Amino acid sequence: MKAEFLSQIIERKKQEVENARKVIPESHLTEAALQPRDHRPFFTRLATPGPLGANIIAEIKRASPSRGDIRTDLDAERLAKSYERAGAAAVSVLTEQAFFRARPDDLQTVWSTVSLPVLRKDFIISTYQIYETAAMGADAVLLIVRALSADMLKNLLDLCREVQLDALVEVHSEEEMAEATRAGARLIGINNRDLTSFQTDLRTSMRLARRIQDGQVAVAESGIHDRKQVESLLAAGIWNFLIGESLVRAPDPEEFLGGLLGRQT
């Protein structure tokens, strides 16, 4: 994904949000988002290492702009169940349809299938989408620093607290890390993938993990394919990992996830 491609996604997302507002006004979504619901604590689940030392947020993902089709026949319900059996700490669900081929009911299907916290992963740019995320029943939402102004990031984080959503705030640089911290982010997703060059380097997580503040928790994202990489990041003080493509491509995702966690077979 080149920088202009990211801009393309954001521009399309703006239009999608405007179209959605015409169908369901934000006031209606606000009412739905504020209804009492069964919230599964995403942040709390990741705040401490899991039983085997690591927590894996396992992702439901059919395609991506950089990789094209990954698994178009993916069965979200079946895959989510296998993730839970293997010991995943949470499930991430791509809900972006145009570029990632998500299906409209993927998130609700996953949430009703497993007892794990569910993260909505999309390109969030507006308050409308935060209310929409809560109304969907998600427990957490991804916010990408690069896609938001400093004021909007702060506003969206404040709104997340209002509607009982945990927020995973994604950064890739020291500057973005500082911006996330100023906005009050507690859960910091360190993306090893540069969204300009699309190169992946695990040293990004290792470097930025040293800047995690008291009260913050790090999540390493992208480029994690084997147990050795997990162990390297554990040694750097990171115990949370968001893993998508390598899990979805695995012939047996359940066995593969267990291996990433260090479970002996």
Side-chain angles (χ1 to χ4, degrees):
M1 184 194 300
K2 297 186 182 297
E4 59 268 23
F5 199 81
L6 179 61
S7 299
Q8 207 177 50
I9 293 176
I10 297 300
E11 286 306 309
R12 184 183 180 107
K13 190 60 61 175
K14 288 177 182 176
Q15 188 59 55
E16 286 178 2
V17 171
E18 286 310 305
N19 292 341
R21 286 181 194 276
K22 295 171 185 175
V23 178
I24 304 176
E26 186 161 327
S27 59
H28 291 188
L29 272 184
T30 303
E31 185 178 343
L34 293 172
Q35 293 299 311
R37 68 182 195 279
D38 181 12
H39 175 258
R40 301 168 186 171
F42 186 78
F43 177 83
T44 302
R45 187 69 184 263
L46 303 178
T48 55
L52 295 174
N55 295 315
I56 291 179
I57 307 165
E59 193 155 86
I60 304 291
K61 179 179 184 178
R62 291 189 176 82
S64 78
S66 63
R67 303 291 189 180
D69 290 344
I70 297 171
R71 192 167 176 178
T72 54
D73 64 343
L74 183 150
D75 182 324
E77 179 177 349
R78 183 176 179 183
L79 188 56
K81 286 178 178 177
S82 73
Y83 287 162
E84 184 166 38
R85 286 194 301 268
V91 181
S92 168
V93 181
L94 259 299
T95 60
E96 203 289 321
Q97 297 179 37
F99 298 93
F100 291 84
R101 304 209 175 181
R103 294 178 185 168
D105 61 348
D106 277 343
L107 191 140
Q108 290 93 337
T109 295
V110 170
W111 197 92
S112 64
T113 296
V114 299
S115 61
L116 302 173
V118 176
L119 168 74
R120 181 191 184 187
K121 192 173 179 186
D122 208 317
F123 295 84
I124 304 297
I125 56 170
S126 70
T127 56
Y128 185 92
Q129 291 166 287
I130 297 297
Y131 290 123
E132 180 182 59
T133 302
M136 281 180 175
D139 305 294
V141 65
L142 179 75
L143 300 177
I144 303 172
V145 170
R146 184 170 176 180
L148 299 165
S149 68
D151 286 344
M152 181 57 82
L153 176 62
K154 176 69 165 59
N155 290 343
L156 294 184
L157 279 170
D158 289 345
L159 184 55
C160 283
R161 285 186 280 273
E162 273 185 50
V163 299
Q164 284 193 299
L165 280 174
D166 290 324
L168 175 62
V169 180
E170 182 178 293
V171 306
H172 180 71
S173 67
E174 284 79 2
E175 293 77 17
E176 290 177 0
M177 182 83 142
E179 189 171 321
T181 299
R182 284 193 296 269
R186 296 193 301 162
L187 193 59
I188 305 292
I190 305 174
N191 195 346
N192 296 307
R193 181 169 293 127
D194 185 329
L195 294 181
T196 301
S197 65
F198 228 72
Q199 295 298 307
T200 302
D201 188 346
L202 292 189
R203 290 174 297 183
T204 304
S205 283
M206 296 175 185
R207 187 181 78 247
L208 294 183
R210 296 194 289 268
R211 293 178 176 261
I212 291 288
Q213 305 291 308
D214 289 344
Q216 290 181 328
V217 176
V219 178
E221 303 175 9
S222 303
I224 302 164
H225 304 288
D226 58 45
R227 176 62 186 176
K228 185 176 179 180
Q229 292 172 317
V230 170
E231 289 173 348
S232 295
L233 291 163
L234 283 169
I238 301 173
W239 59 79
N240 297 309
F241 309 90
L242 196 160
I243 302 177
E245 184 179 341
S246 60
L247 272 172
V248 174
R249 288 191 187 278
D252 186 337
E254 185 173 342
E255 181 180 353
F256 185 67
L257 198 157
L260 290 171
L261 286 168
R263 184 174 291 115
Q264 299 299 316
T265 57

